[in-house]
Amino acid sequence: MRERAEILAEITGGIRQALAAHEPERVWDAFLKGICPAMKCAAGSYFAADDERKKLTLLFVYGPHAPEIKNMMMSYEGVVGWVAEKRQAMLVNDAAKDARFFKAVDDATGFKTTHILCVPVIYAGRLLGVVELMNPAKGIFTEDDLDTVNYICAGVARVVAVQEQER
């Protein structure tokens, strides 16, 4: 597993640009464009959460089918919904065998999800969204991968929330 510092170094440029432009909503797009290549994932998503209505909106997507699924809305279902509801990060290293896996997106796009790393994005006790990474080149996600993404998401969530409050 690569060191957190190396991964952070790879993703911070785009995040800094979005923050300097006072576009906190674009930070998660920059995050995905940095973290997916750094973690060598085939795809990644950021879902904004509406916790009151229990809805998720797919705001930013990295991967081969991004235009097809961007802005998709769904209730708290699948692995992403479970993470949103429970506020717990999770690894799924065999998606087809996990009962929480929501395969409708795979069916709609032709993408085959095999492995999932999913992290809730929380700031000051409020669920902002969920980050999902899929299909690492190395075959599986590890607990170190989960800890690294969770750590980075917590820091990014803090910066985004502070900048949104300053608007």
Side-chain angles (χ1 to χ4, degrees):
M1 175 47 215
R2 295 176 50 206
E3 294 295 319
R4 281 185 190 167
E6 290 176 41
I7 293 170
L8 275 169
E10 287 186 37
I11 68 171
T12 55
I15 292 171
R16 282 187 184 139
Q17 286 177 350
L19 290 170
H22 300 286
E23 297 177 333
E25 64 281 355
R26 304 293 311 162
V27 168
W28 294 108
D29 188 38
F31 170 84
L32 288 174
K33 287 177 179 171
I35 196 79
C36 289
M39 300 283 294
K40 297 179 177 42
C41 301
S45 307
Y46 174 77
F47 293 82
D50 179 343
D51 205 32
E52 188 175 304
R53 295 183 325 148
K54 305 289 186 214
K55 295 282 186 193
L56 297 166
T57 302
L58 186 51
L59 288 186
F60 300 106
V61 185
Y62 174 92
H65 299 284
E68 297 168 44
I69 58 174
K70 188 171 185 206
N71 297 318
M72 179 183 81
M73 289 186 71
M74 60 191 257
S75 60
Y76 281 13
E77 56 191 321
V79 172
V80 173
W82 187 93
V83 167
E85 186 71 41
K86 303 290 185 187
R87 311 285 201 277
Q88 295 176 7
M90 73 177 302
L91 295 176
V92 175
N93 278 318
D94 191 347
K97 291 184 179 176
D98 193 295
R100 295 165 290 204
F101 178 60
F102 182 67
K103 88 183 236 13
V105 176
D106 278 14
D107 290 344
T109 63
F111 185 79
K112 182 167 174 37
T113 303
T114 56
H115 301 79
I116 303 167
L117 181 155
C118 202
V119 174
V121 177
I122 300 169
Y123 177 72
R126 185 172 70 96
L127 180 69
L128 304 177
V130 178
V131 166
E132 178 184 46
L133 303 180
M134 293 157 282
N135 300 0
K138 66 183 176 186
I140 64 166
F141 286 112
T142 66
E143 288 293 328
D144 282 343
D145 295 334
L146 187 68
D147 290 345
T148 297
V149 175
N150 210 9
Y151 172 81
I152 295 169
C153 282
V156 174
R158 181 180 163 278
V159 170
V160 168
V162 167
Q163 191 170 76
E164 285 176 345
Q165 289 172 355
E166 292 173 351
R167 282 183 150 184

